[in-house]
Amino acid sequence: MRIKKSRFLRLAISCLLCGGLLLNQPAFISASETDTSTPTPTPNPHTEYYTQEASTDSIKGWPKGPQIEAESAIVMDVYTETILYAKNADKKQYPASITKILTTLLACENLDLSDDLVVSQNAAYGIEPGSSSIYADTDEKFTVTQALMAVMLESANEMSLAVAEKTSGSVKKFVELMNARARQLGCTSSHFNNPNGLPDETHYTTASDMAKIAKAAWFNPLFRKFATKDLYEIPPTNKQPETRYLLNHHKMMAGRDYAYDGVLGGKTGYTEAAGSTLVTYAKRGSTILLVVVLNSVNGCWSDTAALLDYGFDNFERVNMKVEKEPVPRETLPSEKYILKNGGNTYPFYSIRNVYVSVPTETDTSKLTTKKTLLTNAAGPMRLKTEYYYNDYPVGWGIRYERNILSDLLS
């Protein structure tokens, strides 16, 4: 039988975390995955990784990145996919609970959020004692939305198992789905073996892969409401007579201990093996940055703040104002006799603006480009244009063929 916290202790924790606003209300709140110690802005002495340079420091003309405590980190502009900062970004690391970003994304892609979710005995008792939980019980009924709020805000490990079972029928099948989706998103050095990130030697990712997952998640509008929610209430259920108050563990959100202007939300993580891990979404003006920090200390707050300062202060997103233009295309010798213009050019056009992320005050007319015709099994061809700053990719755009081949027949 699991030992649960006393009602008095749960109420005290809830009042402390919520600033006393809930003092006169019954409360039920989970153990925090990051309550191992009181975090401090920077460690003394620094970690062994503090003096390691970022790989992006080697780019000619690129602003030098800050020194951070983490072993691995990455900063991405979510709209251009430009990597503004990278340090050991391809090194395999344990992700801890930021795994739940992928779990929640898959639930958003495959479930009706208003559906009921009933917690199985395997889910309720399938986690190690003391790990993050809302103490859901066997046969307890939630909505999928409530379950995902528990996953993302309170990092509830048993609810991650319940969501996995609801999505795929079993945790094993859900893990297969996790790895398949990661490969679809371009992840090349990750392997997931559970939906919650609890310690497992075969469960790992990289900062680069995690950025790809987190970017895809951000562009799912259902996911965003879970990543950005600050406080959420689950009313009494068929098994629990008290209201559960779920508080987002991300302490850089507005009004929190390490509040940073513009932070929208994200996901925290911590295990002894993984260290502190953190994914953060932040907005300034029209720019949204994504920061992933792996194997750091003290919650990753100071590392993330330094990386956000670096990204927002040193870079800008620029509209390339792409217009349609003729693009050379190889043709067969015989085609020049049957195609208009002798088959020498195809006009392409853009259906949306194309942006690049570059150091502030960069002359974008000096960026180099690489153009590639992307083949289609059917329909118009696409032209991909990639933009480079001193041979470093800073953005790309797709233009579409104005006319298909049959339209060019003489």
Side-chain angles (χ1 to χ4, degrees), residues 5-248:
K5 295 181 177 180
S6 71
R7 183 177 182 276
F8 175 81
L9 179 58
R10 296 197 303 270
L11 180 58
I13 294 173
S14 180
C15 291
L16 286 172
L17 289 174
C18 300
L21 295 176
L22 308 175
L23 186 61
N24 296 319
Q25 301 183 46
F28 191 103
I29 199 157
S30 77
S32 170
E33 67 184 49
T34 54
D35 284 344
T36 54
S37 63
T38 301
T40 54
T42 55
N44 185 19
H46 292 297
T47 67
E48 61 184 295
Y49 313 113
Y50 185 73
T51 58
Q52 289 185 356
E53 292 188 350
S55 59
T56 40
D57 288 347
S58 63
I59 304 167
K60 183 180 178 182
W62 205 256
K64 184 177 176 60
Q67 290 180 307
I68 61 172
E69 309 294 344
E71 184 175 8
S72 299
I74 201 165
V75 180
M76 173 194 284
D77 183 315
V78 299
Y79 290 120
T80 65
E81 298 182 3
T82 305
I83 304 302
L84 308 182
Y85 174 98
K87 174 183 175 182
N88 295 324
D90 296 318
K91 185 170 184 178
K92 294 177 181 177
Q93 306 278 11
Y94 296 130
S97 283
I98 62 173
T99 298
K100 292 165 179 145
I101 290 176
L102 179 55
T103 298
T104 302
L105 172 61
L106 289 172
C108 290
E109 291 176 337
N110 292 279
L111 296 178
D112 183 337
L113 301 189
S114 64
D115 277 356
D116 287 336
L117 179 152
V118 179
V119 179
S120 70
Q121 182 171 352
N122 288 337
Y125 294 91
I127 61 173
E128 57 189 52
S131 67
S132 296
S133 169
I134 62 166
Y135 302 100
D137 208 349
T138 304
D139 295 329
E140 189 167 4
K141 184 183 292 186
F142 301 87
T143 66
V144 172
T145 291
Q146 291 169 344
L148 292 178
M149 286 295 182
V151 169
M152 286 295 291
L153 273 64
E154 283 296 338
S155 208
N157 291 314
E158 85 281 26
M159 297 305 287
S160 298
L161 297 178
V163 167
E165 292 175 346
K166 174 71 175 178
T167 304
S168 299
S170 70
V171 171
K172 180 179 179 181
K173 289 183 179 178
F174 186 79
V175 165
E176 292 173 357
L177 181 62
M178 293 176 75
N179 288 302
R181 189 71 175 102
R183 288 191 296 271
Q184 288 177 344
L185 295 174
C187 299
T188 57
S189 301
S190 296
H191 184 267
F192 299 97
N193 210 37
N194 62 60
N196 47 36
L198 288 174
D200 186 317
E201 290 184 357
T202 64
H203 187 96
Y204 52 82
T205 189
T206 66
S208 178
D209 282 356
M210 200 64 223
K212 294 171 184 174
I213 293 168
K215 172 189 169 292
W218 183 255
F219 282 105
N220 183 301
L222 298 178
F223 170 86
R224 284 200 296 271
K225 77 174 185 178
F226 300 107
T228 60
K229 192 70 172 178
D230 188 38
L231 179 67
Y232 184 80
E233 297 180 17
I234 299 178
T237 68
N238 61 319
K239 293 286 186 176
Q240 172 53 246
E242 297 177 346
T243 296
R244 290 175 168 97
Y245 297 97
L246 312 181
L247 187 71
N248 197 316

Side-chain angles (χ1 to χ4, degrees), residues 223 257 293:
F223 170 86
D257 293 349
V293 178

